[in-house]
Amino acid sequence: MSFINYANREINCKIVYCGPGLSGKTTNITQIYRSANPNLRGKLLTLNTEMDRTLFFDFLPLELGKVAGFNMRFHLYTVPGQVFYEASRRLILKGADGVVFVADSRQDRMDANYEAIRDLKETLKEYGFSFPDLPYALQLNKRDLEEVHTTDHLARELKIGDERVFEAVATENKGVRETLTEVAREVLRKLREEMR
Ligand SMILES: Nc1nc2c(ncn2[C@@H]2O[C@H](COP(=O)(O)OP(=O)(O)O)[C@@H](O)[C@H]2O)c(=O)[nH]1
Ligand SMILES: [Mg+2]
């Protein structure tokens, strides 16, 4: 699970943002980056592929508290949503401590949502993750747009288990922090149990 650095007394946790292409994963990460304390965050890095990019950075959200005297350092990753990046998506999901699924609320993106969820489930299963053990949250993004499905419908269609569901408008930084905080808290809760 999480990588413990005894030298600087930090526990490193990896949280991966999944979802279909253009659902708002990069926007989520960029918003978190902007609002993180510049002294407690690393650089925002990108791994460019031909058409999409993986984005990542790490930070220490002090408000989340410590676990057994260790500070928590979160490493946030987005994965490419497009089908043809399946290999890199799988690689990034490996070793995840928590996952956020960013769904696109628009009606005409439903097929893309279904496909991304199906792919996520498959990958997680392959890696031996199981629900409800994996810290996970479902974010319904783009709530500001017209022609979106109701949140009830989206939750019914896209929920994997009993995960928390968050409405978001990532471009306005709404629901972004809430989603991450929930997954981070679950990661912490799980760690505390494991370290007891
Ligand atoms: N209207 C609206 N646009 C959004 C929202 N979130 C992201 N976008 C836009 O959707 C596009 C794709 O977002 P991006 O974060 O790059 O998606 P990614 O492919 O999942 O990383 C960009 O033009 C964003 O500005 C939102 O909540 N509302
Ligand atoms: Mg992106």
Side-chain angles (χ1 to χ4, degrees):
M1 202 193 158
S2 322
F3 171 70
I4 301 182
N5 184 331
Y6 289 93
N8 61 12
R9 299 195 71 73
E10 281 179 8
I11 298 177
N12 291 273
C13 294
K14 177 177 180 179
I15 296 185
V16 181
Y17 283 71
C18 297
L22 303 181
S23 67
K25 301 178 294 297
T26 296
T27 309
N28 264 266
I29 293 227
T30 310
Q31 294 287 14
I32 299 284
Y33 185 78
R34 283 204 196 114
S35 51
N37 181 338
N39 299 317
L40 299 173
R41 70 177 190 206
K43 284 204 177 79
L44 190 64
L45 300 167
T46 53
L47 277 173
N48 285 304
T49 47
E50 228 169 285
M51 293 179 65
D52 201 350
R53 54 201 190 139
T54 295
L55 191 68
F56 60 99
F57 81 101
D58 62 272
F59 75 124
L60 273 170
L62 293 181
E63 69 275 13
L64 282 172
K66 296 185 174 198
V67 174
F70 286 80
N71 280 314
M72 305 297 298
R73 179 175 290 279
F74 286 94
H75 301 252
L76 306 191
Y77 286 77
T78 61
V79 302
Q82 279 89 339
V83 179
F84 40 90
Y85 290 121
E86 197 172 312
S88 49
R89 187 161 60 242
R90 280 173 188 241
L91 210 62
I92 295 158
L93 267 170
K94 200 162 192 167
D97 296 298
V99 173
V100 172
F101 187 90
V102 181
D104 196 320
S105 297
R106 287 176 296 176
Q107 291 165 11
D108 61 1
R109 292 299 287 159
M110 223 35 208
D111 284 345
N113 286 328
Y114 289 135
E115 187 174 6
I117 277 281
R118 199 181 323 121
D119 183 74
L120 173 65
K121 277 197 209 164
E122 240 169 61
T123 310
L124 293 177
K125 198 167 149 197
E126 218 169 275
Y127 287 157
F129 292 108
S130 61
F131 288 94
D133 291 347
L134 178 73
Y136 178 80
L138 171 62
Q139 182 185 85
L140 310 177
N141 192 33
K142 306 202 179 185
R143 298 309 303 164
D144 58 315
L145 294 178
E146 281 167 24
E147 314 211 338
V148 293
H149 278 301
T150 63
T151 52
D152 279 354
H153 178 77
L154 288 163
R156 203 163 46 238
E157 292 296 309
L158 302 175
K159 271 178 82 165
I160 295 179
D162 63 352
E163 70 266 30
R164 294 270 313 268
V165 181
F166 295 87
E167 291 185 50
V169 183
T171 37
E172 295 169 23
N173 203 12
K174 286 184 190 157
V176 169
R177 192 77 187 186
E178 291 81 353
T179 311
L180 173 62
T181 301
E182 165 65 14
V183 173
R185 285 221 178 92
E186 279 180 39
V187 171
L188 256 64
R189 210 177 297 139
K190 207 174 146 195
L191 259 177
R192 289 197 176 107
E193 268 167 33
E194 285 171 3
M195 290 175 89
R196 252 210 305 267

